[in-house]
Amino acid sequence: MDPMESAAEPSLFSRRRALTVAGGVLAGATALAQAAPAFAASSSADADAIVVGHGLAGLVATAELAAAGRKVLLLDQEPESNLGGQAFWSFGGLFLVDSDEQRLMGIKDSRDLAWQDWLGTAGFDRGVTDPGGPDHWAYKWAEAYVDFAAGEKRSWLYQLGVRWFPIVGWAERGGGLADGHGNSVPRFHVTWGTGPAVMEPFEKRVRAAAASGRVTFKFRHRVDELVRTNGAVTGVRGKVLEPSDAPRGKKSSRVVVGDFELRAPVVIVTSGGIGANHDLVRQNWPERLGAPPANMITGVPEYVDGRMLAITERAGGRIVNPDRMWHYTEGLRNYAPIWAKHGIRILPGPSSLWLDARGKRFSAPNLPGYDTLSTLKAITDTGYDYSWFVTTQKIMAKEFALSGSEQNPDLTNKDIPLTLSRIWQTPEPVEKFKKNGVDFVVARTLPDLVAGMNGLIGRNLIDLADLQRQVDARDREIDNPYTKDVQVMGIHNALRYSGDQLSRTASAHKILDPGAGPLIAVRLNILTRKTLGGLQTDLSGRVLDATGAPVPGLYAAGEVAGFGGGGVHGYRSLEGTFLGGCLFSGRQAGRAAAAATGS
């Protein structure tokens, strides 16, 4: 079993060496499979294709190009330690439809149900039927992606060695109506090995191609311009940055040591989104979500800066839906940060009380795990940039999971006994946040809890009598197995799903039950994460210009392209669709670019 890469430096280098060796072994085995004719490039071309960005989408696109026999230059401004990009840090959740894992859990899913949920969630409303509309290609990508998730996605990944934790998670439970936002059934498949295990098969194939001469890595190459010749993109220009030994996720230097220009008939941009660039986040913040929060924490490394969006736009690419974004409302300040303003998200079960900054309980659908953007709007409407969970140790032990591969050593390290221990004990990373995190207040009584909450903020915003009234009212609804309280209904509903009953939902109990304590309050910060809009692309991943025509030689995939089409998610995500969007769009762009460069 592979050690978790981020657990310690020796593990990281051991895993990196193992992948390099595996790449060399695979190179010989794949040489015969790379018999497709390479593009008959002119003597001035440096490769058949250039891929800008070595995250998951870039690795997938590069692997597809190399498998077709193309010579590829893979560029990134970061050092080799960051190969794989954000995917390495992810929880590894993938959206699958009618999967073996779902059927094992007794979940009845279908392509039609998933498409119903996607449409109700995305809310496409910007020129879907107009070829020039911002949502025209986004809609087509969404339909193709749902078909992929209900079709070959699982078998394709399974053949590459990817496996999943057998209990399927139920994320984004929605806004309350069958045809509205949310997942009607659990679809969140956590990869066994988390994000690194999603990334690993593609890294192996790219390293194998590098060993055979098909791929050349160009680390520390920052692209500043896409070169155009007679209207076609024919290469890239930029700066070579000084070598860096910065560990994965840590800030690397921006000292320039040289210039470069590289040429190829095809350039694929896979550079990611804007999540670490708070200035760009605020610049594109939509009015419908209220005022941008004054304070935000960051769920992605600092290199997720959005630079390539403007660079590609200057080369003729069209950016659509820049106001669509996906930020989380349950962010914790990391007590051991890797990057600036490093935040970790709580993936909550359904039971914690969610309060605004003044201690007022949110109403449906602004409940834990139901509707992320509706809750974000409810928080910004209060005039504050944070909110609270009030919960119990019993709820935290069963229902709190933390985002990120490094926060889930049991799943990341494929440690079966430790993973199973989640059933009867609080995961150690959660307990560490309770002990060391600045956002936690623990108390035996509600008066002490309120005093701690007000003390943490430095203002007496929460009134004890009012919070006591709200908690008592909620607790009275626990006396019967039926209720008018929508959140308590949701708890009972969750407990009817065996997956939630086993691992994600505490038995219904009163918040003030002494046996469930101590009481815990968690300050929740806004956590920046995903860019839902981006470069508009057709189903081949070709970047389109303002007239809707493809920019010759230019492709894009992953988050920079809104995970496909300039916004495959529309306004909201069903979760598990970001890594999947990188996989699907990277595959589409890589295969199309390979076909375009064939003789």
Side-chain angles (χ1 to χ4, degrees), residues 9-57:
E9 284 300 306
S11 297
L12 185 148
F13 289 118
S14 173
R15 185 183 183 115
R16 184 66 63 212
R17 282 196 298 270
L19 286 175
T20 303
V21 171
V25 173
L26 282 170
T30 57
L32 292 177
Q34 296 175 338
F39 175 79
S42 69
S43 59
S44 64
D46 297 291
D48 300 318
I50 294 171
V51 177
V52 181
H54 66 200
L56 181 59

Side-chain angles (χ1 to χ4, degrees), residues 26 163 225 439 572:
L26 282 170
R163 301 293 184 268
E225 180 185 357
D439 296 307
R572 291 181 173 91

Side-chain angles (χ1 to χ4, degrees), residues 68-81:
R70 308 298 179 260
K71 290 188 176 181
V72 188
L73 300 177
L74 180 55
L75 282 63
D76 201 282
Q77 66 182 355
E78 293 305 307
E80 184 176 4
S81 59

Side-chain angles (χ1 to χ4, degrees), residues 562-586:
F563 303 94
V568 66
H569 297 92
Y571 288 95
R572 291 181 173 91
S573 169
L574 287 172
E575 291 289 7
T577 55
F578 300 126
L579 288 177
C582 290
L583 292 169
F584 185 55
S585 62

Side-chain angles (χ1 to χ4, degrees), residues 450-478:
V450 169
M453 294 165 73
N454 284 331
L456 182 63
I457 300 303
R459 299 175 63 186
N460 292 323
L461 289 181
I462 298 175
D463 179 74
L464 172 60
D466 188 49
L467 183 55
Q468 181 81 54
R469 176 191 62 77
Q470 293 177 87
V471 172
D472 286 343
R474 181 267 186 200
D475 280 358
R476 292 187 190 103
E477 299 295 315
I478 300 296

Side-chain angles (χ1 to χ4, degrees), residues 120-199:
T121 297
F124 296 120
D125 61 1
R126 296 174 174 174
V128 171
T129 60
D130 176 4
D135 278 341
H136 180 74
W137 287 103
Y139 181 96
K140 289 181 180 293
W141 271 93
E143 192 166 25
Y145 181 72
V146 171
D147 289 341
F148 177 61
E152 65 173 312
K153 180 180 179 181
R154 186 187 184 280
S155 61
W156 175 59
L157 292 171
Y158 192 92
Q159 289 169 3
L160 292 172
V162 181
R163 301 293 184 268
W164 296 274
F165 186 60
I167 297 177
V168 184
W170 196 354
E172 284 296 299
R173 304 184 189 209
L177 297 177
D179 58 354
H181 168 56
N183 285 294
S184 297
V185 297
R187 296 192 179 105
F188 191 78
H189 295 66
V190 176
T191 301
W192 188 231
T194 65
V198 178
M199 179 187 87

Side-chain angles (χ1 to χ4, degrees), residues 213-259:
R214 291 292 185 190
V215 171
T216 300
F217 291 109
K218 294 285 187 180
F219 304 112
R220 305 297 283 156
H221 281 59
R222 186 188 71 199
V223 173
D224 297 325
E225 180 185 357
L226 298 179
V227 178
R228 298 188 74 181
T229 305
N230 298 323
V233 170
T234 54
V236 296
R237 292 192 189 103
K239 302 295 184 183
V240 180
L241 305 179
E242 70 175 352
S244 171
D245 59 0
R248 184 185 288 275
K250 289 286 188 180
K251 186 175 183 178
S252 62
S253 119
R254 291 294 180 262
V255 174
V256 173
V257 296
D259 301 305

